Short mmCIF file of all heavy atoms in Angstrom, two decimals:
data_model
loop_
_atom_site.label_atom_id
_atom_site.label_comp_id
_atom_site.label_asym_id
_atom_site.label_seq_id
_atom_site.Cartn_x
_atom_site.Cartn_y
_atom_site.Cartn_z
N PRO W 1 0.82 -1.22 0.00
CA PRO W 1 0.00 0.00 0.00
C PRO W 1 0.85 1.27 0.00
O PRO W 1 1.94 1.29 0.58
CB PRO W 1 -0.80 -0.12 1.29
CG PRO W 1 -0.77 -1.56 1.65
CD PRO W 1 0.54 -2.07 1.17
N GLU W 2 0.33 2.30 -0.63
CA GLU W 2 1.00 3.59 -0.61
C GLU W 2 0.86 4.22 0.77
O GLU W 2 -0.18 4.13 1.41
CB GLU W 2 0.39 4.51 -1.66
CG GLU W 2 1.06 5.88 -1.76
CD GLU W 2 0.37 6.80 -2.74
OE1 GLU W 2 -0.68 7.38 -2.36
OE2 GLU W 2 0.84 6.93 -3.87
N ASN W 3 1.95 4.84 1.24
CA ASN W 3 1.92 5.57 2.49
C ASN W 3 1.87 7.07 2.17
O ASN W 3 2.68 7.57 1.39
CB ASN W 3 3.17 5.25 3.32
CG ASN W 3 3.19 5.96 4.65
OD1 ASN W 3 3.49 7.16 4.71
ND2 ASN W 3 2.88 5.25 5.71
N LYS W 4 0.92 7.78 2.76
CA LYS W 4 0.67 9.18 2.39
C LYS W 4 1.86 10.09 2.65
O LYS W 4 2.08 11.07 1.93
CB LYS W 4 -0.56 9.71 3.15
CG LYS W 4 -1.87 9.09 2.69
CD LYS W 4 -3.06 9.68 3.45
CE LYS W 4 -4.36 9.06 2.97
NZ LYS W 4 -5.54 9.61 3.70
N ILE W 5 2.64 9.77 3.68
CA ILE W 5 3.81 10.61 3.98
C ILE W 5 4.96 10.28 3.04
O ILE W 5 5.59 11.18 2.47
CB ILE W 5 4.22 10.44 5.46
CG1 ILE W 5 3.07 10.90 6.37
CG2 ILE W 5 5.49 11.24 5.75
CD1 ILE W 5 3.34 10.74 7.84
N TRP W 6 5.22 9.01 2.85
CA TRP W 6 6.27 8.61 1.90
C TRP W 6 5.96 9.16 0.51
O TRP W 6 6.87 9.51 -0.25
CB TRP W 6 6.36 7.09 1.84
CG TRP W 6 7.03 6.42 3.00
CD1 TRP W 6 6.51 6.22 4.24
CD2 TRP W 6 8.34 5.86 3.04
NE1 TRP W 6 7.41 5.57 5.04
CE2 TRP W 6 8.55 5.32 4.33
CE3 TRP W 6 9.36 5.74 2.11
CZ2 TRP W 6 9.72 4.70 4.71
CZ3 TRP W 6 10.55 5.10 2.48
CH2 TRP W 6 10.71 4.59 3.78
N ALA W 7 4.68 9.22 0.15
CA ALA W 7 4.29 9.66 -1.19
C ALA W 7 4.66 11.11 -1.47
O ALA W 7 4.68 11.54 -2.62
CB ALA W 7 2.79 9.46 -1.38
N LEU W 8 4.98 11.88 -0.42
CA LEU W 8 5.34 13.29 -0.59
C LEU W 8 6.83 13.48 -0.83
O LEU W 8 7.29 14.62 -0.97
CB LEU W 8 4.92 14.08 0.65
CG LEU W 8 3.41 14.17 0.91
CD1 LEU W 8 3.15 14.81 2.27
CD2 LEU W 8 2.73 14.95 -0.20
N TYR W 9 7.57 12.39 -0.89
CA TYR W 9 9.04 12.46 -0.99
C TYR W 9 9.50 13.30 -2.18
O TYR W 9 10.43 14.11 -2.07
CB TYR W 9 9.59 11.04 -1.06
CG TYR W 9 11.02 10.94 -1.53
CD1 TYR W 9 12.03 11.61 -0.86
CD2 TYR W 9 11.35 10.17 -2.64
CE1 TYR W 9 13.34 11.53 -1.29
CE2 TYR W 9 12.66 10.07 -3.07
CZ TYR W 9 13.64 10.74 -2.39
OH TYR W 9 14.94 10.66 -2.82
N GLU W 10 8.84 13.17 -3.33
CA GLU W 10 9.27 13.93 -4.51
C GLU W 10 8.21 14.93 -4.98
O GLU W 10 8.33 15.47 -6.07
CB GLU W 10 9.64 12.97 -5.65
CG GLU W 10 10.95 12.25 -5.42
CD GLU W 10 11.40 11.47 -6.64
OE1 GLU W 10 10.56 11.20 -7.51
OE2 GLU W 10 12.60 11.14 -6.72
N GLU W 11 7.20 15.15 -4.19
CA GLU W 11 6.18 16.15 -4.56
C GLU W 11 6.75 17.56 -4.41
O GLU W 11 7.68 17.78 -3.61
CB GLU W 11 4.94 15.99 -3.68
CG GLU W 11 4.14 14.72 -3.92
CD GLU W 11 3.44 14.71 -5.27
OE1 GLU W 11 3.34 15.79 -5.90
OE2 GLU W 11 2.97 13.64 -5.69
N PRO W 12 6.21 18.54 -5.15
CA PRO W 12 6.67 19.93 -4.97
C PRO W 12 6.56 20.35 -3.51
O PRO W 12 5.60 19.99 -2.81
CB PRO W 12 5.71 20.73 -5.86
CG PRO W 12 5.25 19.75 -6.90
CD PRO W 12 5.20 18.42 -6.20
N LEU W 13 7.54 21.11 -3.06
CA LEU W 13 7.59 21.51 -1.65
C LEU W 13 6.35 22.31 -1.26
O LEU W 13 5.85 22.18 -0.13
CB LEU W 13 8.85 22.33 -1.40
CG LEU W 13 9.33 22.47 0.04
CD1 LEU W 13 9.48 21.12 0.72
CD2 LEU W 13 10.65 23.23 0.08
N SER W 14 5.82 23.11 -2.17
CA SER W 14 4.62 23.88 -1.88
C SER W 14 3.44 22.97 -1.56
O SER W 14 2.62 23.27 -0.68
CB SER W 14 4.26 24.77 -3.07
OG SER W 14 4.05 24.00 -4.24
N LYS W 15 3.36 21.84 -2.25
CA LYS W 15 2.29 20.88 -2.01
C LYS W 15 2.46 20.22 -0.64
O LYS W 15 1.47 19.97 0.06
CB LYS W 15 2.27 19.83 -3.11
CG LYS W 15 1.11 18.85 -3.03
CD LYS W 15 1.10 17.92 -4.22
CE LYS W 15 -0.05 16.92 -4.14
NZ LYS W 15 -0.05 16.01 -5.33
N VAL W 16 3.69 19.94 -0.28
CA VAL W 16 3.98 19.33 1.03
C VAL W 16 3.53 20.27 2.15
O VAL W 16 2.89 19.85 3.12
CB VAL W 16 5.48 19.01 1.16
CG1 VAL W 16 5.79 18.45 2.55
CG2 VAL W 16 5.91 18.02 0.08
N ILE W 17 3.85 21.55 2.02
CA ILE W 17 3.48 22.54 3.03
C ILE W 17 1.96 22.71 3.08
O ILE W 17 1.37 22.80 4.16
CB ILE W 17 4.18 23.88 2.75
CG1 ILE W 17 5.70 23.72 2.90
CG2 ILE W 17 3.66 24.97 3.69
CD1 ILE W 17 6.50 24.90 2.45
N LYS W 18 1.34 22.73 1.90
CA LYS W 18 -0.11 22.89 1.84
C LYS W 18 -0.83 21.75 2.57
O LYS W 18 -1.90 21.94 3.16
CB LYS W 18 -0.56 22.95 0.38
CG LYS W 18 -2.01 23.33 0.18
CD LYS W 18 -2.33 23.49 -1.29
CE LYS W 18 -3.80 23.89 -1.49
NZ LYS W 18 -4.13 24.06 -2.93
N LYS W 19 -0.22 20.56 2.54
CA LYS W 19 -0.81 19.41 3.22
C LYS W 19 -0.44 19.38 4.71
O LYS W 19 -0.74 18.41 5.40
CB LYS W 19 -0.36 18.11 2.54
CG LYS W 19 -1.01 17.87 1.18
CD LYS W 19 -0.52 16.57 0.57
CE LYS W 19 -1.24 16.24 -0.72
NZ LYS W 19 -2.62 15.82 -0.49
N CYS W 20 0.25 20.43 5.15
CA CYS W 20 0.65 20.56 6.57
C CYS W 20 1.59 19.44 7.03
O CYS W 20 1.58 19.07 8.21
CB CYS W 20 -0.59 20.61 7.47
SG CYS W 20 -1.65 22.04 7.14
N ARG W 21 2.37 18.92 6.11
CA ARG W 21 3.36 17.91 6.47
C ARG W 21 4.68 18.65 6.75
O ARG W 21 5.62 18.64 5.94
CB ARG W 21 3.52 16.89 5.34
CG ARG W 21 2.25 16.09 5.06
CD ARG W 21 1.86 15.22 6.23
NE ARG W 21 0.71 14.37 5.92
CZ ARG W 21 0.18 13.49 6.76
NH1 ARG W 21 0.69 13.37 7.97
NH2 ARG W 21 -0.87 12.75 6.41
N PHE W 22 4.73 19.29 7.89
CA PHE W 22 5.83 20.21 8.17
C PHE W 22 7.15 19.50 8.44
O PHE W 22 8.22 20.03 8.15
CB PHE W 22 5.45 21.14 9.33
CG PHE W 22 4.24 21.99 9.02
CD1 PHE W 22 3.10 21.90 9.80
CD2 PHE W 22 4.26 22.86 7.95
CE1 PHE W 22 1.99 22.67 9.52
CE2 PHE W 22 3.15 23.63 7.65
CZ PHE W 22 2.01 23.55 8.43
N LYS W 23 7.09 18.29 9.02
CA LYS W 23 8.33 17.53 9.23
C LYS W 23 8.97 17.19 7.89
O LYS W 23 10.19 17.30 7.73
CB LYS W 23 8.04 16.26 10.02
CG LYS W 23 7.78 16.49 11.50
CD LYS W 23 7.64 15.15 12.23
CE LYS W 23 7.45 15.35 13.72
NZ LYS W 23 7.32 14.05 14.43
N MET W 24 8.15 16.75 6.92
CA MET W 24 8.67 16.44 5.59
C MET W 24 9.24 17.71 4.93
O MET W 24 10.32 17.69 4.33
CB MET W 24 7.57 15.84 4.71
CG MET W 24 7.96 15.61 3.26
SD MET W 24 9.24 14.34 3.02
CE MET W 24 8.24 12.84 3.20
N ALA W 25 8.51 18.81 5.05
CA ALA W 25 8.97 20.07 4.46
C ALA W 25 10.30 20.50 5.08
O ALA W 25 11.23 20.91 4.36
CB ALA W 25 7.91 21.15 4.67
N PHE W 26 10.40 20.40 6.42
CA PHE W 26 11.64 20.80 7.08
C PHE W 26 12.80 19.90 6.66
O PHE W 26 13.92 20.39 6.43
CB PHE W 26 11.47 20.76 8.61
CG PHE W 26 12.70 21.15 9.36
CD1 PHE W 26 13.04 22.48 9.50
CD2 PHE W 26 13.53 20.18 9.92
CE1 PHE W 26 14.20 22.85 10.18
CE2 PHE W 26 14.68 20.54 10.60
CZ PHE W 26 15.01 21.88 10.73
N ALA W 27 12.54 18.59 6.58
CA ALA W 27 13.60 17.65 6.17
C ALA W 27 14.13 17.99 4.78
O ALA W 27 15.33 17.99 4.54
CB ALA W 27 13.07 16.22 6.22
N ARG W 28 13.22 18.29 3.87
CA ARG W 28 13.64 18.60 2.51
C ARG W 28 14.33 19.96 2.41
O ARG W 28 15.28 20.14 1.65
CB ARG W 28 12.45 18.51 1.57
CG ARG W 28 12.03 17.04 1.36
CD ARG W 28 10.83 16.88 0.49
NE ARG W 28 10.95 17.62 -0.77
CZ ARG W 28 10.02 17.63 -1.70
NH1 ARG W 28 8.90 16.94 -1.53
NH2 ARG W 28 10.18 18.31 -2.81
N LEU W 29 13.88 20.92 3.21
CA LEU W 29 14.56 22.22 3.25
C LEU W 29 15.97 22.09 3.83
O LEU W 29 16.91 22.72 3.34
CB LEU W 29 13.74 23.22 4.07
CG LEU W 29 12.48 23.76 3.39
CD1 LEU W 29 11.62 24.52 4.39
CD2 LEU W 29 12.84 24.66 2.20
N MET W 30 16.10 21.26 4.84
CA MET W 30 17.42 21.01 5.42
C MET W 30 18.35 20.37 4.39
O MET W 30 19.53 20.73 4.28
CB MET W 30 17.28 20.10 6.65
CG MET W 30 18.61 19.78 7.34
SD MET W 30 19.47 21.25 7.95
CE MET W 30 18.39 21.72 9.30
N ALA W 31 17.80 19.44 3.61
CA ALA W 31 18.59 18.80 2.55
C ALA W 31 19.02 19.83 1.50
O ALA W 31 20.17 19.81 1.03
CB ALA W 31 17.77 17.68 1.90
N LYS W 32 18.11 20.72 1.13
CA LYS W 32 18.45 21.77 0.17
C LYS W 32 19.57 22.66 0.70
O LYS W 32 20.49 23.04 -0.03
CB LYS W 32 17.21 22.63 -0.13
CG LYS W 32 16.23 22.02 -1.13
CD LYS W 32 15.05 22.95 -1.33
CE LYS W 32 14.11 22.44 -2.41
NZ LYS W 32 14.66 22.60 -3.76
N TYR W 33 19.48 22.99 1.98
CA TYR W 33 20.50 23.85 2.60
C TYR W 33 21.87 23.16 2.59
O TYR W 33 22.88 23.78 2.24
CB TYR W 33 20.08 24.19 4.03
CG TYR W 33 21.13 24.91 4.82
CD1 TYR W 33 21.48 26.22 4.51
CD2 TYR W 33 21.78 24.28 5.88
CE1 TYR W 33 22.47 26.89 5.23
CE2 TYR W 33 22.75 24.94 6.61
CZ TYR W 33 23.10 26.24 6.28
OH TYR W 33 24.07 26.89 7.00
N LYS W 34 21.89 21.87 2.95
CA LYS W 34 23.16 21.14 2.96
C LYS W 34 23.73 20.99 1.55
O LYS W 34 24.94 21.09 1.34
CB LYS W 34 22.96 19.76 3.60
CG LYS W 34 22.70 19.83 5.10
CD LYS W 34 22.60 18.43 5.71
CE LYS W 34 22.44 18.51 7.23
NZ LYS W 34 22.37 17.17 7.84
N ALA W 35 22.84 20.78 0.57
CA ALA W 35 23.29 20.68 -0.82
C ALA W 35 23.87 22.00 -1.30
O ALA W 35 24.88 22.04 -2.01
CB ALA W 35 22.14 20.23 -1.71
N TYR W 36 23.22 23.09 -0.90
CA TYR W 36 23.71 24.42 -1.28
C TYR W 36 25.10 24.67 -0.69
O TYR W 36 26.01 25.16 -1.38
CB TYR W 36 22.73 25.48 -0.79
CG TYR W 36 23.21 26.90 -0.97
CD1 TYR W 36 23.20 27.51 -2.22
CD2 TYR W 36 23.69 27.63 0.12
CE1 TYR W 36 23.66 28.82 -2.39
CE2 TYR W 36 24.16 28.93 -0.03
CZ TYR W 36 24.14 29.52 -1.29
OH TYR W 36 24.60 30.80 -1.46
N LYS W 37 25.28 24.32 0.59
CA LYS W 37 26.59 24.49 1.23
C LYS W 37 27.66 23.66 0.52
O LYS W 37 28.78 24.12 0.31
CB LYS W 37 26.49 24.09 2.71
CG LYS W 37 25.81 25.11 3.60
CD LYS W 37 25.77 24.65 5.05
CE LYS W 37 27.16 24.47 5.62
NZ LYS W 37 27.11 24.03 7.05
N PHE W 38 27.29 22.42 0.17
CA PHE W 38 28.25 21.56 -0.53
C PHE W 38 28.63 22.17 -1.87
O PHE W 38 29.81 22.20 -2.24
CB PHE W 38 27.65 20.17 -0.73
CG PHE W 38 28.51 19.26 -1.57
CD1 PHE W 38 29.56 18.55 -1.00
CD2 PHE W 38 28.29 19.12 -2.94
CE1 PHE W 38 30.37 17.72 -1.77
CE2 PHE W 38 29.09 18.30 -3.71
CZ PHE W 38 30.13 17.60 -3.13
N TYR W 39 27.63 22.65 -2.60
CA TYR W 39 27.88 23.22 -3.94
C TYR W 39 28.78 24.45 -3.84
O TYR W 39 29.71 24.61 -4.63
CB TYR W 39 26.56 23.58 -4.61
CG TYR W 39 26.75 24.26 -5.95
CD1 TYR W 39 27.14 23.52 -7.07
CD2 TYR W 39 26.56 25.63 -6.09
CE1 TYR W 39 27.33 24.13 -8.30
CE2 TYR W 39 26.75 26.25 -7.31
CZ TYR W 39 27.14 25.50 -8.41
OH TYR W 39 27.33 26.11 -9.62
N LYS W 40 28.53 25.32 -2.87
CA LYS W 40 29.35 26.53 -2.72
C LYS W 40 30.80 26.19 -2.39
O LYS W 40 31.73 26.87 -2.84
CB LYS W 40 28.76 27.40 -1.62
CG LYS W 40 27.40 27.99 -1.94
CD LYS W 40 27.46 29.04 -3.03
CE LYS W 40 28.05 30.34 -2.54
NZ LYS W 40 28.01 31.40 -3.59
N LYS W 41 30.98 25.12 -1.63
CA LYS W 41 32.32 24.73 -1.21
C LYS W 41 33.04 23.91 -2.27
O LYS W 41 34.27 23.93 -2.36
CB LYS W 41 32.23 23.91 0.10
CG LYS W 41 33.57 23.56 0.69
CD LYS W 41 33.39 22.78 1.99
CE LYS W 41 34.73 22.39 2.59
NZ LYS W 41 34.57 21.62 3.85
N ASN W 42 32.28 23.19 -3.10
CA ASN W 42 32.87 22.26 -4.07
C ASN W 42 32.38 22.55 -5.49
O ASN W 42 31.84 21.68 -6.16
CB ASN W 42 32.52 20.81 -3.69
CG ASN W 42 32.98 20.44 -2.30
OD1 ASN W 42 34.11 20.01 -2.10
ND2 ASN W 42 32.09 20.59 -1.33
N LYS W 43 32.55 23.78 -5.93
CA LYS W 43 32.10 24.15 -7.26
C LYS W 43 32.83 23.32 -8.31
O LYS W 43 34.03 23.07 -8.23
CB LYS W 43 32.32 25.63 -7.51
CG LYS W 43 31.32 26.52 -6.78
CD LYS W 43 31.45 27.97 -7.17
CE LYS W 43 30.39 28.81 -6.49
NZ LYS W 43 30.50 30.25 -6.84
N SER W 44 32.07 22.87 -9.29
CA SER W 44 32.61 21.97 -10.30
C SER W 44 31.83 22.15 -11.60
O SER W 44 30.67 22.58 -11.60
CB SER W 44 32.51 20.51 -9.82
OG SER W 44 32.78 19.61 -10.87
N ASP W 45 32.48 21.82 -12.72
CA ASP W 45 31.80 21.83 -14.02
C ASP W 45 30.87 20.63 -14.16
O ASP W 45 30.03 20.59 -15.06
CB ASP W 45 32.82 21.81 -15.16
CG ASP W 45 33.62 23.11 -15.24
OD1 ASP W 45 33.10 24.14 -14.77
OD2 ASP W 45 34.76 23.07 -15.74
#
């Protein structure tokens, strides 16, 4: 069976927030922040 929270893993972040799944939204925002830090530190072609 599909799990409603797992199903939001790749949904647009706006949709996640609209569904009030704030833990999922925070987790994905944290991932974006860490990815941004990595990219700034390790710029590559």
Side-chain angles (χ1 to χ4, degrees):
E2 182 184 79
N3 181 283
K4 290 181 180 180
I5 298 178
W6 285 75
L8 295 172
Y9 164 58
E10 287 189 341
E11 291 291 346
L13 199 53
S14 59
K15 185 175 179 180
V16 177
I17 295 171
K18 189 175 180 180
K19 287 180 175 288
C20 298
R21 297 295 185 178
F22 298 120
K23 285 186 177 180
M24 174 66 79
F26 180 78
R28 288 178 50 180
L29 285 169
M30 180 61 70
K32 280 179 175 287
Y33 173 69
K34 290 184 176 181
Y36 173 76
K37 284 180 62 179
F38 174 84
Y39 176 75
K40 293 291 286 184
K41 185 179 179 181
N42 302 273
K43 285 187 176 179
S44 168
D45 292 335

